[in-house]
Structure formats: structure tokens, C-alpha cells
Amino acid sequence: MKVLFFGPNGSGKGTQGAIVKNRLNIPHIETGVIFRENIQKGTSLGKEAKGYIDRGELVPDSITIPMILDRIKKDDCKNGWLLDGFPRNLTQAQELDRSLKKEGITLDIVIEMVLPRQTAKERIMGRRLCENDNNHPNNIFIDAIKPDGDKCRICGGGLKARSDDQDEAAIDKRHDIYYDTKTGTMAAVNYYKNLSATNNGVPKVIELDGRPGVKEVSEHLIAKLI
Ligand code: AMP
């Protein structure tokens, strides 16, 4: 199963993505996580990406597109993948589509988490990262995933906030890119919606209201996935 997961930063996409990953038993490939791991390890990719990420800008397509197209060719992706954070603009969507067509691969599902911009912004500012595992969801403003004091609610590990999550200008910039219907992420979402409409519903597009709590959203998601 090949799945794309869209949603504004702060929509709970990472949390729900982890659920889809377990349910479908496919790797959850998060562009932002790949960049942050590279920054942590001090790789040349990390050094190149850091400035863009700190400002809330997109890392250039010339770096991001080959990185992801190579990643989904790895052995663990043979039975499918869940892409989260890619594509993030129209060019990336078109390039992914072109590459999949060339390889004879069909995209099965596109999930779009829908959330008002202001709600997404508040959620971002409450988000905390687990030092042991970035996929452990913690948010000081969301009851269902509130940390245990100042520790990760899943493993008790230390928590930290992402610097780009505490910078309002960087958050606004990321949301400007997401909600941009001309060339930004919403243009990519609409690209797949048009594709689906003109191709007998393939890929299947699942729209998901991101406003309810984590459990309710995941129940809706799983019901629509199967
Ligand atoms: P995220 O963890 O998804 O919020 O991503 C963090 C940052 O990584 C973004 O603000 C961008 O700077 C960068 N990034 C993530 N995905 C992409 C992408 N598909 N294209 C370019 N930059 C990206």
C-alpha cells in the first residue's frame, strides 16, 4: 500500500501517521524527521538543510526530491510506504507522480487532515519531542497526549521543544506554504484530488477532520482506510 499523508503542521499528522504505519505495516517516512536526524548527526545534508528549517522555509527541491525518491526505492519499501511531509509543493507532487509512473507504481491512498490554521498554530506551540523516539506524541495543550510532568508519556524520556515550533514567524511561514493553493502544499493536495477525479477514484482520497481528539480522529481514519 502506497500512502501520502497531508495536513498542516500541528494537525496531528505525525501521531495519526504512526497509527497508519502500524495498521498497514509499512515504513513511515517523515521528511522532517530525516532532516532533523541529519542535523543531529552533523551530516552535510543536515548542515545544508538547517538554515531553511530554522526559518520555516522549504529545503530546496534539488535536495529533497532525490532524497525521498531514493528512500522509497529501499528494500523496506517493497510492500509500500507512508510518506509524511512529502510532497510539500506542486513540483514535488509532479516529480513523485512522474517517478512512480516510470516505475509502474500506483499510489493507493491520499489522506488529508483538515484543520483551521489558528488551531494548528496553537497545537504546534504545545508540541514536545521525546529525546528517545521522535514518534512518541506529546503535547502540553492536548489532553489525550499530555506529557507525564516534564517526561514523555510513553517511555518517560526527556522532552524538548523544536526551535522552529516556538518561533511564530517560522510557524506562520510554514502555514503560508501549506495553505498556498497556487504552488504550495494545498496545490499538491488538489493535484491528487484532480488525479483521483479523472482516474476512477485512484488514488483514493480520504479527508479527515483533524479537530476532534486523537482517538476519535484515528477511529475515523481506520474506518476509512479499510
Ligand atoms: P516538519 O517536521 O514536517 O514540520 O518539517 C520540518 C521542516 O523540514 C520544514 O519546515 C521544512 O523546512 C523541512 N521540510 C520537511 N519536508 C519538506 C519537503 N517535502 N520539502 C522541503 N522541505 C521540507
Side-chain angles (χ1 to χ4, degrees):
M1 189 83 86
K2 278 90 182 173
V3 185
L4 299 184
F5 210 136
F6 289 101
N9 308 88
S11 59
K13 186 166 47 78
T15 310
Q16 299 299 334
I19 293 169
V20 176
K21 167 200 158 167
N22 291 333
R23 186 86 190 183
L24 301 179
N25 200 19
I26 49 178
H28 182 195
I29 301 168
E30 293 173 273
T31 334
V33 170
I34 299 176
F35 285 134
R36 281 189 291 281
E37 282 172 357
N38 275 278
I39 292 173
Q40 226 164 12
K41 288 183 195 149
T43 67
S44 56
L45 171 67
K47 284 183 186 130
E48 230 173 326
K50 188 172 184 324
Y52 299 100
I53 292 178
D54 286 345
R55 291 189 296 275
E57 292 168 10
L58 291 187
V59 176
D61 286 344
S62 57
I63 298 174
T64 310
I65 294 175
M67 177 180 93
I68 293 299
L69 295 185
D70 286 348
R71 175 66 187 86
I72 61 176
K73 286 185 184 139
K74 296 242 158 85
D75 275 355
D76 63 334
C77 291
K78 288 235 158 64
N79 293 325
W81 33 255
L82 167 64
L83 282 185
D84 176 342
F86 185 95
R88 209 128 158 167
N89 62 25
L90 186 56
T91 308
Q92 293 181 2
Q94 289 165 332
E95 285 300 309
L96 175 66
D97 203 30
R98 202 177 55 82
S99 171
L100 295 183
K101 279 200 179 110
K102 202 171 128 205
E103 309 270 331
I105 294 172
T106 308
L107 179 65
D108 300 294
I109 298 178
V110 172
I111 303 167
E112 181 197 6
M113 293 268 290
V114 182
L115 196 72
R117 189 168 169 152
Q118 186 55 31
T119 313
K121 185 170 176 176
E122 285 158 12
R123 288 198 189 167
I124 287 185
M125 300 195 83
R127 186 155 73 177
R128 296 294 178 267
L129 281 188
C130 171
E131 284 170 347
N132 293 335
D133 186 330
N134 281 331
N135 279 321
H136 290 167
N138 290 272
N139 194 305
I140 60 171
F141 296 143
I142 302 177
D143 283 343
I145 55 170
K146 248 197 189 121
D148 187 6
D150 60 353
K151 300 282 181 231
C152 172
R153 50 181 272 279
I154 292 181
C155 70
L159 293 177
K160 57 181 193 259
R162 279 167 50 177
S163 56
D164 58 341
D165 280 357
Q166 302 302 305
D167 176 343
E168 275 200 69
I171 294 171
D172 287 340
K173 180 88 204 160
R174 282 189 278 162
H175 281 157
D176 285 347
I177 296 168
Y178 185 84
Y179 290 101
D180 173 1
T181 53
K182 286 210 172 75
T183 58
T185 314
M186 281 309 296
V189 173
N190 291 334
Y191 176 84
Y192 288 109
K193 285 184 175 170
N194 287 334
L195 203 64
S196 176
T198 54
N199 190 36
N200 294 321
V202 179
K204 176 178 174 183
V205 177
I206 299 176
E207 267 188 33
L208 211 58
D209 182 356
R211 287 170 303 177
V214 174
K215 194 160 171 282
E216 205 176 320
V217 175
S218 65
E219 280 166 4
H220 286 161
L221 174 56
I222 285 167
K224 287 183 179 185
L225 264 185
I226 46 179

